[in-house]
DNA sequence: GCCAACGTTGGC
DNA sequence: GCCAACGTTGGC
C-alpha cells in the first residue's frame, strides 16, 4: 500500500514541533472526534507522512513533517479517570478511542503559514483552508503535501566554500 | 475574548 | 429520529 499523507493539528503551547523534535516520537493521544478517530484507526499506516500543524497560536500553519511510526491502538487515556480525556463509556474490551504514533522527520526552515496556504492557488483545495472545517486529523493529497514541503524547505542556494559566509 | 461553524447530548 | 441546548474548535 502506498504511503498516505495527513495533516495533524496541535496547539504549540501544549505540544509543538520542538517537543516532537526533542522526544523523537510521540503517541497522538486525546483525539475525541469520531471522524478523526476513523482516519487514524482505519487508514493510517506506519510510513505515512504527516504535515505537523500549529493551531490556536499567533501564526497558525504547517511547521514540519513527521512520519507515522505505529498504527492505531487503543488510547490509554480513555481508561484513566484522572485524565481529562477519560471516557466512562469506554472499556478495555470495547475501546472507543484509538491513536497512532508519529516520529519527527524535519522542522521547516520557514513555517508554511495558514495565510500562505490560503493564498496559494495550488493549495486552495486543501481541507484545512475550507471554512468551518476543524478536523484535527485529516487526509492530504500528495500534490498538496509536496507543495507544502517545497514551500517549507526552499532549496538551499549552493554556497561554495569560497562564498561570503561570515563567521 | 468573540463568535461562526460544527459535533454531541438527551428529552421527547 | 428530531432538534434545541450545549460544548468545542480555532481563526481573528
Amino acid at each position: 500500500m502506498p504511503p498516505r499523507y495527513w495533516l495533524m493539528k496541535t496547539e504549540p503551547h501544549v505540544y509543538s514541533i520542538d517537543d516532537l523534535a526533542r522526544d523523537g516520537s510521540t503517541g497522538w493521544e486525546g483525539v475525541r472526534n469520531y471522524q478523526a478517530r476513523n482516519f487514524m484507526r482505519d487508514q493510517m499506516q506506519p510510513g505515512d507522512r504527516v504535515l505537523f500543524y500549529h493551531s490556536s497560536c499567533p501564526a497558525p500553519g504547517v511547521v514540519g513533517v513527521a512520519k507515522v511510526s505505529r498504527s492505531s491502538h487503543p488510547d490509554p487515556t480513555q481508561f484513566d479517570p484522572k485524565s481529562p480525556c477519560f471516557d466512562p463509556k469506554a472499556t478495555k474490551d470495547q475501546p472507543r478511542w484509538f491513536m497512532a504514533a508519529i516520529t519527527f522527520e524535519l522542522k521547516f526552515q520557514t513555517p508554511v503559514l495558514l495565510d500562505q496556504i490560503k493564498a496559494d492557488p495550488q493549495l486552495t483545495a486543501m481541507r484545512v483552508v475550507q471554512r468551518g472545517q476543524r478536523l484535527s486529523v485529516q487526509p492530504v493529497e500528495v500534490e498538496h503535501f509536496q507543495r507544502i514541503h517545497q514551500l517549507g524547505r526552499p532549496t538551499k542556494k549552493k554556497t561554495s566554500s569560497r562564498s561570503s559566509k561570515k563567521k
Side-chain angles (χ1 to χ4, degrees):
Chain A
M1 184 148 51
R4 289 189 164 101
Y5 299 87
W6 306 96
L7 181 145
M8 293 168 88
K9 294 182 187 174
T10 177
E11 300 184 18
H13 64 92
V14 177
Y15 196 85
S16 72
I17 188 74
D18 292 323
D19 293 324
L20 183 62
R22 179 200 61 217
D23 294 344
S25 294
T26 194
W28 209 251
E29 69 213 19
V31 171
R32 294 293 181 271
N33 170 281
Y34 288 104
Q35 211 180 340
R37 175 203 69 180
N38 293 347
F39 281 132
M40 274 204 295
R41 185 191 58 187
D42 304 336
Q43 297 189 37
M44 217 176 244
Q45 290 298 322
D48 288 358
R49 314 283 296 288
V50 175
L51 297 175
F52 197 94
Y53 181 92
H54 282 178
S55 66
S56 295
C57 59
V62 179
V63 293
V65 176
K67 184 176 277 193
V68 176
S69 50
R70 187 180 169 194
S71 60
S72 87
H73 49 288
D75 178 344
T77 62
Q78 71 194 300
F79 308 123
D80 178 2
K82 293 193 291 288
S83 167
C85 299
F86 176 63
D87 183 343
K89 295 185 181 152
T91 66
K92 302 232 172 176
D93 285 343
Q94 294 256 300
R96 179 180 294 202
W97 304 109
F98 292 81
M99 59 186 265
I102 61 173
T103 297
F104 177 78
E105 199 160 288
L106 60 92
K107 179 179 174 179
F108 285 156
Q109 295 173 27
T110 55
V112 182
L113 300 179
L114 181 59
D115 287 344
Q116 200 179 348
I117 298 174
K118 285 180 175 166
D120 190 312
Q122 295 183 44
L123 297 174
T124 50
M126 280 189 81
R127 226 183 235 259
V128 73
V129 291
Q130 305 313 309
R131 94 186 312 248
Q133 82 70 39
R134 51 190 215 193
L135 265 186
S136 63
V137 176
Q138 54 184 259
V140 168
E141 301 298 324
V142 60
E143 315 85 80
H144 296 155
F145 179 90
Q146 287 168 350
R147 177 64 176 154
I148 296 273
H149 201 288
Q150 178 185 19
L151 292 171
R153 282 188 83 211
T155 310
K156 282 185 200 162
K157 287 266 159 51
K158 271 269 170 59
T159 50
S160 75
S161 55
R162 298 172 301 295
S163 77
S164 58
K165 197 178 196 180
K166 302 212 166 60
K167 180 77 225 294

